[in-house]
Amino acid sequence: MQPIRTFNVSPSLPPRLEPLRRLAYNLHWDWNVESKDLFRRLDPDLWESSHHNPVLMLGTISQGRLLEVVEDEGFLAQMDRANRQLEDYLQERTWYQKQRSQQPKECYAYFSAEFGLVDCLPIYSGGLGVLAGDHLKSASDLGLPLVGVGLLYQQGYFAQYLNADGWQQERYQINDFYNMPLHLERNPDGSELRIAVDYPGRKVYARVWRVQVGTVPLYMLDTNIEPNNSYDHDITDQLYGGDIDMRIHQEIMLGIGGVQMLKALGYKVTAYHMNEGHAGFSALERIRVLMQEEGLDYAQARQVVASSNIFTTHTPVPAGIDLFAPDKVLHYLGYYAEIFDLPKEQFLGLGRENTGDLSAPFSMAVLALKMATFSNGVAQLHGVVSRQMFQGLWKKVPVEEVPIAAITNGVHARSCVAKSTQELYDRYLGPNWSSVPPDNQLWDRMDAIPDEELWRNHERCRLDMILYVRDHLVKHLRDRGASASEIGQAQEVLDPNVLTIGFARRFATYKRATLWMRDLERIKRILLANKNRKVQFVIAGKAHPKDIPGKELIRDINHFIDEQNLQKQVVFVPNYDIHIARLMVAGCDIWLNTPRRPREASGTSGMKAAMNGLPNLSVLDGWWDEADYVRTGWAIGHGENYDDPNYQDEVEANALYELLEKEVVPLFYDHRDADGLPRSWVAKMKDAIRLNCPFFNTARMVREYAQRAYFPASDRYHILTTDNYAPVKELAAWKAKLSEDWFNIKIKDIDVSAPADIEVNQTVAVKAKIDLSTLINDDVQVELYQGTIDANGEIVNATPVVMDYQGQDTQQLSIYTANITYTTSGLQGLSLRVLPRHQYLSSPYEPRLIAWAE
C-alpha cells in the first residue's frame, strides 16, 4: 500500500537532553573521545548494534532510559562538557585564519566518488574513501573553507559474508538516510532542494543531503526520487556497481551534478579538487557555465577552469583508470562539443593522450590532467610512477620534470588511534600531538612514556580486538547456520599473549594477500614451531564483486585455515569496515603489507598502525618506501623491481620468512626483562610513533595541499577573473598567438667557450642566437640544461640555468648568455631549450610547448 503522505519523524528528547541532537548530527563526535564516550554511556548495547550511529540511537532508545539520564548529574555534566568542546572547536581560531587572514573570500570544493567517515555511513569501499573522509576531517581541524561533494548511495558498498567454502558473498543493505547523521537540504519554502542534470533524452533529478564533518559540510546527491525512472533511481544505488553505462551515469552526476549543486547552494568556489578522475566531467560543466552565463569563449573559459582545478591520481597502473568508448562519450556528452563549438574529434581529444589516435578511448585521468593547474600522486614513489605513466601528455619534457607532483597521503590521527592510546599520548605528549609537525619538540617527550605503560596499554588493545573478533565470528557463523562445534571453536580463536600479525586491505591481486602462504611448510613451522614463540594472523578485506581472482585469494586463505587445522591461529574476519580496521591497527603487533612494487600508490592502513605503535613489515612500496623502515619496522627486500612476477613472489616470500624467523619473532619473545617486558620491541614501537605519526597524517597532508595547491589555485582564480575577466582574456589571446608562432622558433647558433676537456668548477661561457619569429623575449624563457651523461647518451640529473637576454643583433636574432660550472667530474653535457613565459601562466609547462636545440 502506497502512502498518501509521508512524515520525517525526529527523535523526541527531553529539553535538557537537546544538546545530544546537536552532537549526534556533527561527525565531530567520531574524533572526540568525550562525545563518543557519551553516546556509549547512554546505551552500550544500542551503541554497538546501531553500528555507532547516535542518530539511530536517539530514535530508538526507550523514553524510560532518556528520563533516567535526565536525572543523572554525571551524564548531564559529561554531555555539557562534550557540547562545550564542540562549540569551542567550531569557534576556535584556526591555522587557515592565520595563513590567509588578508585574502579575499574563497572556497575549495573537494569532489570524490566515495567518503569513508564513520562505519554508520557505509558509502565507501576502501582506502580512497577513507582518505577522502580523513581529508575532510583535517580540513575542518585546520579551518579550511572547504566543502565536500559526493554521491549518497542507497545501498553503498556491499556487506561481505563467506559461505561454508570460504567464498565471498555480497549482501546489499538499504541505507536509511533518515536515521543517519544526515540533513536533507531544503529551499526557503521548505521544499527539497533539487537539481536537474541533462542525460540523453531526459533530465535526471537529484536531491541534496548534507553531513556535517566538524566545520566542513559534505554535500551528496541522491537520485532515488520521483519523477526519475527506475534506472535513474539506481544511479546513486551502489558504489562501483553496475556496468560501464552506470559508471558514466554516476560520473556525470558526480561531476556535472556536483557543480550544479554547489551553485544551487550558493557557493562561490575558487578552487576545485578532483580526487581521482571520477569527477573529471566537472570541468566540462564549469566551462559551459562560464561560456553561457559569463560570456567567455571556449579558450577563455577553459583557461579559468584549468587554472583553478586540482587533480589527485591514486592509481599506479593504466588498468585502474576509467576509460569510456568514444561513441559512448559522444552519446552522453556530445552536446558539450556543440556548446564549445569543437569538432567531435577535438572534443574527444580532451580525454586522449594521443589526440591523433581516433580509436583511443576517452580517459578520465587524461581529461583531469589536461584540466588541472596542479596534479599530484599520493606518495613520492607514486609521483615517479605517475610521471612515467603520463609523460606523453608533455611531449619533449624530461620525465623527471613532468608537472605531476607528489603529496604523500596521511591519516587522521584522532580517528584511527585507539581511545586509551590517545589518552596516553595526551598525558605525556600534550593535547596537540595529533597535528604538530615532525620538528616540534613535543616528539622529544616520547621517552617520557613509561615502557610498562605503553606495553600494557597495547596488550589491552590486543585483547579488545580478540574479544571483538570472537564475537564477530560467532555472529557471522550463526547467521550462516554453522554447527555448534564451529561456533564453539570461534569463541576460542586467537591467543591474547601471542605475536599477532595483521593484514587488512582490498583483495586486489597485486596486493598479494597470500604471499605469506607461498611455502606452506615453512609458514606452519613459524606458526607452530615453539609453543612459547607462536605467531598468529588476523586477516580482513573485501574483493570487488566482479573480481574473481580476488575472491579466490579469500577462499585460498580459508581453505588453508581448514586444511591445516589452524582455526585458532589464523582468522579471516568477514565484512571489513572502519570499525574493524580501527581495532586491528590498534590490537595487532605487526602490520603486514606485501604489494607487488610499484603498484601500491600509497597504502594508508600501515600509517594508522604506526600511529598506534605497530611496527610495519612491508615491501618498499607506497608510503613505506619513504619511511624510516629500519627503526620503525622491517623492509621486505630492498626495493627491487623484477620482470618475472613468479620469481619476485619467490624471492620476497623467502625474505618475509627470514625476517619473521630471525628478527621479528626473536625481538618479540626473546628480549624480555624479569617482568616480561619486551623493551627492545617497545623501543621500536616508540620509534614507530615518534617518526611516523607527525608526518604521515592528514594534518600535514592537508596543510601541504593548501599551500601547494589550494592557495595558489584560488589566488589564480581571483587574478584571472578580475576586471570582467580581462586577465584571462589576455592570457587566452596570448596562448593562441603562441600556438601559431611557436614552431617558427629557430635556435640558430650556440657558442660554448670551453674545449671538450674542462675541470671541476671551471667556468664555461655559453652564448646563443635564437630567431623568435614574431615572438619577443618577454614571451619566452631560454635555459641551458646541464647534467651527467648516462649510458644511453642522455642527460640525467639535470639542472636548468636561465640565460640572460642581451638584446638583438643586426639580423634581428635574440642573444642569450649564461655562465655554468660542473661540480662533479665525469662525462657531463648540456643542451638548450626555450619555454613559454607569461605572468599569468601557472608554470612554463602549462601550454605544453617546448623547443630544444638539435
Side-chain angles (χ1 to χ4, degrees):
M1 181 66 65
Q2 294 294 310
I4 61 170
R5 189 173 175 189
T6 61
F7 304 89
N8 178 24
V9 181
S10 299
S12 176
L13 295 176
R16 181 66 179 90
L17 298 181
E18 201 54 41
L20 289 175
R21 191 190 312 274
R22 181 173 186 241
L23 291 167
Y25 277 97
N26 191 313
L27 296 195
H28 178 253
W29 57 257
D30 182 55
W31 68 98
N32 180 266
V33 168
E34 194 81 66
S35 299
K36 192 176 283 190
D37 275 355
L38 180 71
F39 288 115
R40 185 182 290 109
R41 177 177 180 175
L42 184 61
D43 190 325
D45 293 335
L46 188 54
W47 175 248
E48 294 301 327
S49 64
S50 69
H51 295 285
H52 315 118
N53 181 350
V55 173
L56 179 59
M57 281 187 67
L58 295 181
T60 54
I61 196 168
S62 70
Q63 289 298 120
R65 175 58 181 156
L66 293 178
L67 293 175
E68 280 180 18
V69 297
V70 165
E71 304 299 324
D72 185 338
E73 293 185 4
F75 182 90
L76 296 177
Q78 184 176 1
M79 179 186 70
D80 291 340
R81 280 197 307 274
N83 195 40
R84 283 195 302 272
Q85 287 173 4
L86 174 59
E87 185 62 31
D88 291 345
Y89 177 86
L90 297 176
Q91 299 299 325
E92 69 182 12
R93 180 167 171 77
T94 63
W95 175 85
Y96 169 80
Q97 290 172 316
K98 297 170 185 174
Q99 301 292 314
R100 303 282 281 181
S101 59
Q102 305 302 315
Q103 299 302 314
K105 189 174 176 63
E106 56 188 351
C107 173
Y108 319 136
Y110 182 90
F111 285 68
S112 183
E114 53 173 305
F115 288 90
L117 290 156
V118 289
D119 50 317
C120 68
L121 277 174
I123 53 172
Y124 62 94
S125 72
L128 175 71
V130 175
L131 173 82
D134 284 2
H135 194 109
L136 299 193
K137 291 174 182 178
S138 278
S140 171
D141 293 341
L142 297 170
L144 294 189
L146 183 140
V147 298
V149 177
L151 302 178
L152 185 60
Y153 302 98
Q154 188 74 59
Q155 295 185 2
Y157 207 51
F158 66 92
Q160 177 197 57
Y161 67 100
L162 305 181
N163 65 19
D165 189 44
W167 188 260
Q168 173 182 293
Q169 305 283 298
E170 296 86 32
R171 181 186 295 114
Y172 288 91
Q173 299 168 327
I174 302 299
N175 286 326
D176 180 3
F177 299 154
Y178 293 97
N179 275 311
M180 291 178 164
L182 296 165
H183 303 261
L184 184 60
E185 292 296 306
R186 298 185 180 276
N187 294 307
D189 64 2
S191 61
E192 293 180 356
L193 176 66
R194 295 188 173 191
I195 63 161
V197 179
D198 288 326
Y199 285 77
R202 69 199 191 282
K203 288 185 179 294
V204 177
Y205 297 89
R207 58 183 170 181
V208 181
W209 296 84
R210 171 174 55 89
V211 58
Q212 196 65 36
V213 187
T215 62
V216 169
L218 166 59
Y219 297 100
M220 294 174 287
L221 291 165
D222 167 22
T223 65
N224 189 20
I225 55 174
E226 301 298 334
N228 292 338
N229 62 42
S230 59
Y231 183 89
D232 294 339
H233 281 188
D234 292 344
I235 292 174
T236 56
D237 190 20
Q238 295 178 5
L239 172 61
Y240 305 139
D243 57 15
I244 197 70
D245 279 286
M246 181 53 72
R247 178 63 66 91
I248 200 170
H249 272 78
Q250 290 183 329
E251 296 190 2
I252 288 170
M253 183 56 64
L254 174 63
I256 296 170
V259 172
Q260 293 184 9
M261 174 180 68
L262 291 171
K263 182 182 178 186
L265 289 163
Y267 283 96
K268 306 295 184 184
V269 181
T270 56
Y272 290 76
H273 187 171
M274 299 172 285
N275 188 44
E276 254 312 334
H278 306 120
F281 293 140
S282 61
L284 306 182
E285 176 64 6
R286 293 186 61 206
I287 292 171
R288 181 198 68 78
V289 170
L290 287 166
M291 291 179 68
Q292 294 188 333
E293 299 181 15
E294 299 295 322
L296 302 184
D297 64 25
Y298 169 72
Q300 296 162 354
R302 177 177 173 177
Q303 184 65 59
V304 172
V305 169
S307 296
S308 52
N309 264 354
I310 294 119
F311 170 57
T312 298
T313 174
H314 291 261
T315 179
V317 290
I321 296 169
D322 282 337
L323 302 174
F324 298 118
D327 59 343
K328 199 171 293 294
V329 172
L330 291 176
H331 174 69
Y332 287 104
L333 298 157
Y335 65 95
Y336 279 105
E338 298 174 8
I339 294 170
F340 299 167
D341 195 23
L342 294 179
K344 291 179 179 178
E345 293 303 336
Q346 188 176 345
F347 175 73
L348 290 170
L350 296 175
R352 287 170 171 163
E353 184 175 307
N354 180 2
T355 56
D357 183 356
L358 304 186
S359 64
F362 189 96
S363 165
M364 295 300 288
V366 170
L367 172 66
L369 285 165
K370 288 185 175 182
M371 292 289 180
T373 182
F374 179 89
S375 300
N376 70 284
V378 291
Q380 299 307 307
L381 179 59
H382 183 231
V384 173
V385 173
S386 298
R387 289 188 285 274
Q388 293 169 346
M389 277 178 63
F390 297 111
Q391 184 182 14
L393 288 172
W394 289 271
K395 299 187 189 309
K396 297 184 179 180
V397 173
V399 65
E400 64 271 14
E401 294 188 52
V402 167
I404 300 177
I407 295 180
T408 301
N409 278 344
V411 294
H412 189 254
R414 290 286 184 181
S415 295
C416 68
V417 175
K419 175 197 169 195
S420 61
T421 310
Q422 287 192 46
E423 292 169 343
L424 186 67
Y425 297 167
D426 287 344
R427 281 198 303 276
Y428 290 100
L429 304 181
N432 297 321
W433 63 267
S434 60
S435 59
V436 297
D439 57 358
N440 193 288
Q441 292 182 341
L442 172 149
W443 298 106
D444 296 334
R445 303 179 202 156
M446 272 303 302
D447 289 332
I449 300 178
D451 289 357
E452 295 83 356
E453 198 166 347
L454 182 62
W455 181 244
R456 300 308 173 207
N457 173 75
H458 176 67
E459 289 189 312
R460 285 194 299 274
C461 290
R462 190 194 305 128
L463 178 60
D464 289 343
M465 176 194 70
I466 289 173
L467 293 176
Y468 178 86
V469 167
R470 290 173 179 174
D471 289 344
H472 186 76
L473 285 176
V474 167
K475 182 179 184 304
H476 168 76
L477 290 168
R478 282 179 176 152
D479 290 346
R480 200 185 75 194
S483 66
S485 62
E486 286 181 281
I487 292 171
Q489 197 171 50
Q491 292 171 333
E492 299 178 356
V493 300
L494 304 174
D495 185 331
N497 301 306
V498 166
L499 171 62
T500 306
I501 299 174
F503 180 98
R505 50 193 34 87
R506 277 191 309 118
F507 266 71
T509 52
Y510 77 85
K511 292 179 183 283
R512 299 189 297 181
T514 56
L515 185 71
W516 61 277
M517 291 166 42
R518 187 172 178 88
D519 185 334
L520 295 182
E521 292 306 313
R522 193 167 181 186
I523 192 62
K524 281 171 61 181
R525 286 199 302 272
I526 293 170
L527 290 167
L528 302 169
N530 187 317
K531 66 178 182 179
N532 297 318
R533 288 159 52 104
K534 285 186 177 181
V535 176
Q536 59 193 14
F537 280 81
V538 180
I539 302 166
K542 297 177 178 179
H544 187 277
K546 296 180 181 178
D547 183 3
I548 300 304
K551 290 185 176 184
E552 288 172 345
L553 293 176
I554 294 174
R555 183 184 60 188
D556 290 346
I557 291 171
N558 285 285
H559 279 193
F560 169 74
I561 294 169
D562 292 339
E563 290 167 1
Q564 305 299 326
N565 197 29
L566 291 170
Q567 290 86 352
K568 288 189 176 181
Q569 282 181 262
V570 182
V571 174
F572 184 92
V573 185
N575 204 27
Y576 183 51
D577 63 9
I578 286 176
H579 183 60
I580 292 172
R582 291 176 180 177
L583 287 166
M584 287 182 65
V585 296
C588 293
D589 297 298
I590 284 282
W591 200 253
L592 179 66
N593 192 21
T594 51
R596 183 170 283 120
R597 176 186 164 104
R599 298 188 62 183
E600 182 82 284
S602 173
T604 52
S605 62
M607 301 175 186
K608 297 170 187 157
M611 284 192 177
N612 281 279
L614 274 63
N616 272 258
L617 175 59
S618 175
V619 170
L620 289 175
D621 201 5
W623 79 280
W624 188 237
D625 185 63
E626 57 195 90
D628 187 333
Y629 45 78
V630 175
R631 295 175 63 187
T632 71
W634 294 269
I636 300 171
H638 303 284
E640 304 91 344
N641 293 327
Y642 299 84
D643 294 329
D644 182 350
N646 188 60
Y647 179 69
Q648 181 175 356
D649 292 353
E650 184 72 23
V651 169
E652 292 177 348
N654 286 329
L656 170 59
Y657 299 141
E658 288 282 316
L659 287 168
L660 287 172
E661 291 166 339
K662 296 180 179 179
E663 297 193 35
V664 177
V665 173
L667 188 69
F668 187 84
Y669 285 112
D670 296 349
H671 300 275
R672 301 205 174 203
D673 62 15
D675 297 322
L677 195 69
R679 292 197 181 271
S680 296
W681 187 275
V682 172
K684 192 173 277 284
M685 289 177 65
K686 287 185 174 181
D687 280 342
I689 300 162
R690 178 185 6 238
L691 299 177
N692 293 323
C693 190
F695 183 79
F696 296 105
N697 69 55
T698 43
R700 183 272 312 159
M701 182 193 83
V702 174
R703 281 196 298 263
E704 200 170 338
Y705 273 109
Q707 292 169 329
R708 297 178 62 184
Y710 297 163
F711 296 171
S714 183
D715 290 344
R716 197 170 298 117
Y717 177 86
H718 282 299
I719 290 168
L720 292 179
T721 58
T722 55
D723 194 18
N724 195 30
Y725 297 94
V728 81
K729 292 174 182 177
E730 175 192 324
L731 180 57
W734 176 83
K735 274 189 171 182
K737 183 178 186 303
L738 186 77
S739 298
E740 290 178 3
D741 297 344
W742 186 260
F743 297 100
N744 294 323
I745 292 175
K746 298 291 187 291
I747 300 172
K748 291 290 191 178
D749 182 61
I750 303 174
D751 179 31
V752 181
S753 66
D757 295 315
I758 61 172
E759 296 180 348
V760 170
N761 292 327
Q762 178 179 332
T763 299
V764 178
V766 182
K767 178 180 180 181
K769 295 183 178 181
I770 302 175
D771 180 359
L772 295 178
S773 184
T774 59
L775 299 176
I776 61 174
N777 173 61
D778 288 344
D779 296 326
V780 299
Q781 180 165 297
V782 180
E783 297 177 344
L784 290 177
Y785 190 76
Q786 64 173 112
T788 304
I789 304 298
D790 68 7
N792 298 317
E794 300 286 336
I795 298 176
V796 295
N797 301 321
T799 301
V801 177
V802 178
M803 302 187 77
D804 297 319
Y805 178 59
Q806 304 296 343
Q808 291 184 322
D809 65 9
T810 56
Q811 296 177 303
Q812 305 302 303
L813 297 178
S814 297
I815 310 299
Y816 294 86
T817 62
N819 292 323
I820 61 171
T821 59
Y822 290 94
T823 58
T824 58
S825 60
L827 188 61
Q828 306 284 340
L830 67 82
S831 186
L832 182 145
R833 65 186 185 185
V834 184
L835 291 164
R837 180 174 63 181
H838 192 281
Q839 63 173 327
Y840 297 136
L841 280 183
S842 59
S843 89
Y845 301 121
E846 182 186 315
R848 291 181 165 83
L849 296 171
I850 187 168
W852 288 91
E854 297 179 356

